[in-house]
Amino acid sequence: MALLVSADEIKQTLISQVKQKTGRDLQIDGAVAWSFYPSVGVAIEQARLLNPSGFPDKATLVVGRGRIGVALMPLFSQQIHIDQLELDQPQIHLYQLDDGHTNIDDFLNRFSRPAGSSPPAVTDGEQGQVVSGYQFKVAGILVRDGTLSFTKLATQQTYSLQHLHVKTGLLTPNQPLDIELSTNFLLD
């Protein structure tokens, strides 16, 4: 597969799809590589998702290294099994304007359901969520040495979680989630 699609093609496709789907700019300054074991996946290094207009000219999300892998065989049965989403040294920077709007409102609005609408169809807890005809399951998320900051721009007050480590179990809609978390809290 690596012979058919170059790393540069993957990078350009990711950048254009993020722009098309979110309206945001994605910058990938590091390597992009395929992985084939233990699952088919892609790894990226030094990626930045920029803030929307009206917010500081910085990134909402910076990832030192990210990896996602998908089990191949379930794809033939209309199932997407993500083995684990791994993020090394992610930095999430949240900003709030004077009027209360944040730099992630566009994402929150995109994924929230309108009032009165039905929740998405879900299957048995072990099967995962149904998305566009595919059963979707995420085995877990692993965050190593992350940072999460929230800045109120009116006062320049910043709250930060530093050295954030998170490990989850299987993500299943409407089911309890196993999670391990450690961090340091800072107030600037």
Side-chain angles (χ1 to χ4, degrees):
M1 199 181 310
L3 298 175
L4 300 175
V5 180
S6 73
D8 191 52
E9 288 173 311
I10 296 169
K11 187 184 289 191
Q12 294 309 316
T13 299
L14 288 171
I15 290 169
S16 68
Q17 286 297 306
V18 166
K19 182 70 170 183
Q20 179 183 349
K21 301 292 184 190
T22 70
R24 302 273 196 109
D25 290 323
L26 174 67
Q27 298 173 342
I28 302 173
D29 298 327
V32 174
W34 284 105
S35 60
F36 295 99
Y37 182 81
S39 60
V40 176
V42 65
I44 62 171
E45 295 180 359
Q46 305 305 318
R48 300 167 37 91
L49 181 66
L50 301 183
N51 275 326
S53 63
F55 289 91
D57 191 23
K58 297 181 180 179
T60 302
L61 173 66
V62 178
V63 176
R65 181 179 182 279
R67 183 192 172 281
I68 190 167
V70 177
L72 183 60
M73 293 309 291
L75 291 173
F76 296 110
S77 303
Q78 289 199 313
Q79 298 176 31
I80 300 173
H81 291 190
I82 296 176
D83 60 358
Q84 189 169 53
L85 171 62
E86 297 178 20
L87 299 173
D88 291 327
Q89 300 173 330
Q91 300 171 26
I92 301 170
H93 303 286
L94 306 177
Y95 296 96
Q96 183 182 51
L97 298 174
D98 296 353
D99 64 6
H101 285 92
T102 70
N103 61 331
I104 60 167
D105 284 349
D106 54 336
F107 291 125
L108 297 176
N109 292 336
R110 179 180 297 274
F111 296 111
S112 65
R113 289 192 316 260
S117 68
S118 301
V122 294
T123 61
D124 179 337
E126 283 300 307
Q127 297 301 314
Q129 184 171 357
V130 177
V131 178
S132 300
Y134 281 83
Q135 289 181 334
F136 189 78
K137 183 167 82 172
V138 179
I141 297 173
L142 179 62
V143 174
R144 295 183 200 97
D145 198 24
T147 300
L148 173 62
S149 67
F150 176 76
T151 302
K152 292 183 174 187
L153 293 173
T155 62
Q156 292 300 309
Q157 185 78 43
T158 299
Y159 307 88
S160 296
L161 299 177
Q162 303 284 326
H163 307 291
L164 181 64
H165 295 273
V166 178
K167 182 178 182 180
T168 74
L170 178 67
L171 279 74
T172 305
N174 304 315
Q175 297 294 316
L177 173 66
D178 290 332
I179 187 167
E180 297 174 20
L181 171 76
S182 67
T183 190
N184 296 330
F185 178 75
L186 299 173
L187 176 60
D188 291 336

